[in-house]
Structures are given as C-alpha cells and as structure tokens.
Amino acid sequence: MPEEAPVAPVDSLPEQPTVRVLADVHELVNDSPVPSGARWTLAEPGRQLDANLIHLPAGQRVDTHTEPDLDVVLVVVAGGGTVGTPGAEQVLADGNVVWLPHGSTRNITAGSDGLSYLTVHRRRPGLQISKRPSQ
C-alpha cells in the first residue's frame, strides 16, 4: 500500500490571498493633501500589477514620452483633458477608458477642471545587478 502524504498543521499552511477594497478614488480625488501627482499607489507585496491615481491641476501637463515596454490602461475618474499623440489629440472625459500601447508616444494635459486618472500596467521588474557584456 502506498504511503499517505503527511497532513500539514493548519497554522503552517500558506496564507490565502485576501480580496479587499484598497481605496475610494472619489475620496482621493476630492479630499487629498497632494495637489499634483500621485495621490495613491498600489503597494501590496507580491503584486503582479502597478497602479497609480494621478491628479493634474488645470492646465498641468505630463510631457511627451514613449513607454517602450508596457501597455498601460488609463481610466479617467474626474475632470477631463487631452491625450496628445504625434498624429492627433484626443479628448479625455470622466469615465473614459484609454489604452496606451507600448511603443506609443503621448502627452497628457489637464482641462479647466483638472484631471484625475488611474493607470494600471504590468509591474516593472526591479533593477538587477548583472555583469557587463564582454567588450
């Protein structure tokens, strides 16, 4: 007869991931001591995603940049503005879900009421120390 695997005591079982509410974006948008920039950042250990709630006051802009590695989903949670690309400018409004594919060049400008948006993307790997390539 085959041996049975030993049963691990309950207190030594790995902890199950817990589903929970992390933030209320409306509270963060309406009542924050941070006038500009990141008002909330996902910081859970062991996560596979990065997420940030960003607020830009009226007229403020995220300069033109290209994200070479990661697709980003942007969700407008308050206010409005524009996302500019080399080919066009698109209006952003409360509730819009925008896909920013990797390799795309873009800038973001807040409208007259400011702009608050959530970004979500795959977590960037940490910096790693490695040997220099042979010369």
Side-chain angles (χ1 to χ4, degrees):
M1 227 174 161
E3 285 186 34
E4 290 186 27
V7 177
V10 174
D11 60 350
S12 69
L13 293 175
E15 188 175 316
Q16 285 286 348
T18 304
V19 175
R20 63 188 184 279
V21 174
L22 297 175
D24 180 323
V25 295
H26 295 115
E27 286 181 13
L28 293 169
V29 166
N30 294 325
D31 185 28
S32 177
V34 179
S36 178
R39 290 191 171 175
W40 175 84
T41 298
L42 182 63
E44 304 308 298
R47 69 188 185 280
Q48 295 178 342
L49 295 174
D50 278 332
N52 299 286
L53 179 69
I54 305 296
H55 176 73
L56 299 176
Q60 189 169 344
R61 174 183 165 114
V62 174
D63 287 332
T64 301
H65 63 286
T66 302
E67 168 50 63
D69 301 320
L70 300 173
D71 291 348
V72 176
V73 170
L74 179 150
V75 180
V76 178
V77 297
T82 58
V83 60
T85 65
E89 189 171 89
Q90 296 182 37
V91 173
L92 297 175
D94 190 4
N96 286 164
V97 178
V98 182
W99 177 47
L100 304 170
H102 70 281
S104 66
T105 299
R106 66 271 190 152
N107 60 63
I108 298 171
T109 305
S112 60
D113 293 330
L115 174 64
S116 292
Y117 60 91
L118 179 72
T119 60
V120 180
H121 57 79
R122 186 179 75 237
R123 188 173 182 191
R124 292 183 187 281
L127 295 177
Q128 309 232 343
I129 298 173
S130 61
K131 293 182 178 182
R132 282 188 176 180
S134 298
Q135 293 182 339

